[in-house]
Amino acid sequence: MTNTLAQTWPKRIVFTGFLLAIGLHLQSQGEVLVSDAFDYPDGPLSTQSSGSWEHTSGSENQITVQSEAIILNETDSEDAMISLMNDPFSADSNQPLFAAFDLTVISPPSGKGNYFGHFRGTSSATFRGRIFLLPDAEGNSQRYRIGVSNGATAAEDGEAFPDLFTIGSTQRIVVKYATGTAMTQLWINPQSVESSSVEATDSTPPRDIVGFALRQSLSSGNGIGNIQIDNLIVASTFEETVGSRPIKPVEPVEPVEPVEPVEPV
């Protein structure tokens, strides 16, 4: 029997309503899309994570796990991505995505700095919410800055957080990317969504998002330095990224043999 518009229309309403309900659930309830404490044995990230992190470009096996954290070097070239649960996140959905991680800078960025992390779609033309490591504007090699862009590749086209941070210290980075507007917001060590933040202002079209990526680069003298990343959370709400962190397993403690009592002399 041939379906008429009247027969198929209710089904379309139900299906559209189902998709809308999923989107509203993600935004209101919050959902963790990636949680990685990097508690793997030392070695190449793509291998030690059993393929959860996928090599996407550059020389393979250069992003490494060391002491249950990720090491990125500007002298290496590998990029790697981890897929988000329930991907893709459509540019039409206006679903906010949040990424948070612990950042420790071991050595400062070269030149004007470069980006080391971002959301991405299925190609290099879909890098969005780029996260930059920037040098101290006054040339102090013991300090650095952090910035973001919506899609711009040059550090100077992004927006820098006003505070300076000391080499060797650890900061909790939180980045929001709005899939519908391609707008990016950055917090550093926030206590709540009302904490100080900056928003990127460069213009770029929104794209569907499927994953979060790490990047190593030294281009035209502008590099990311040498950094350590740990405790990555990607989620659909700010609260999920700040209120929870990946839990590293605790090594079991060997039982202590009971000591025989000593007879009094």
Side-chain angles (χ1 to χ4, degrees):
M1 181 175 63
T2 303
N3 287 328
T4 66
L5 178 61
Q7 289 172 318
T8 58
W9 183 248
K11 295 179 181 178
R12 294 178 184 177
I13 292 176
V14 170
F15 182 68
T16 303
F18 174 71
L19 293 178
L20 178 60
I22 291 176
L24 291 174
H25 172 76
L26 282 175
Q27 294 193 45
S28 61
Q29 300 297 321
E31 185 172 10
V32 174
L33 309 173
V34 169
S35 177
D36 201 336
F38 303 112
D39 51 345
Y40 314 119
D42 287 2
L45 174 61
S46 58
T47 301
Q48 302 301 73
S49 66
S50 300
S52 294
W53 285 88
E54 174 189 357
H55 166 85
T56 55
S57 65
S59 298
E60 293 191 50
N61 299 325
Q62 288 185 334
I63 297 181
T64 59
V65 181
Q66 295 182 25
S67 301
E68 298 189 349
I70 297 305
I71 301 297
L72 303 179
N73 290 292
E74 66 178 26
T75 53
D76 293 330
S77 63
E78 183 178 24
D79 295 1
M81 179 193 79
I82 189 167
S83 296
L84 306 183
M85 186 173 66
N86 300 327
D87 69 22
F89 289 88
S90 169
D92 298 326
S93 69
N94 205 32
Q95 171 65 50
L97 298 173
F98 295 82
F101 52 87
D102 296 336
L103 171 69
T104 305
V105 176
I106 301 167
S107 62
S110 297
K112 298 177 181 179
N114 214 317
Y115 67 97
F116 62 88
H118 57 86
F119 290 97
R120 64 165 289 163
T122 56
S123 74
S124 59
T126 58
F127 292 2
R128 295 294 183 266
R130 304 183 198 227
I131 309 164
F132 289 81
L133 193 65
L134 309 168
D136 175 20
E138 298 181 357
N140 187 333
S141 63
Q142 294 304 306
R143 300 186 302 189
Y144 66 91
R145 298 172 296 150
I146 301 166
V148 289
S149 76
N150 296 320
T153 59
E156 58 267 30
D157 294 331
E159 191 71 24
F161 200 82
D163 294 351
L164 287 164
F165 303 96
T166 304
I167 298 295
S169 61
T170 299
Q171 319 305 327
R172 185 68 175 171
I173 310 301
V174 180
V175 173
K176 173 187 176 182
Y177 175 74
T179 56
T181 59
M183 298 301 292
T184 308
Q185 188 172 0
L186 167 68
W187 295 260
I188 302 179
N189 301 320
Q191 298 301 310
S192 73
V193 72
E194 302 299 327
S195 298
S196 297
S197 66
V198 296
E199 296 184 14
T201 58
D202 58 296
S203 179
T204 194
R207 292 287 186 264
D208 294 355
I209 298 299
V210 301
F212 184 79
L214 298 175
R215 177 177 182 265
Q216 301 179 117
S217 179
L218 176 61
S219 176
S220 301
N222 303 316
I224 65 167
N226 179 212
I227 62 181
Q228 174 184 286
I229 291 176
D230 201 0
N231 298 319
L232 171 68
I233 292 278
V234 182
S236 59
T237 66
F238 178 93
E239 288 72 20
E240 289 291 346
T241 60
V242 174
S244 61
R245 293 192 185 186
I247 300 174
K248 295 185 184 292
V250 177
E251 292 294 330
V253 178
E254 293 292 332
V256 178
E257 293 292 334
V259 178
E260 292 293 332
V262 178
E263 293 292 334
V265 177

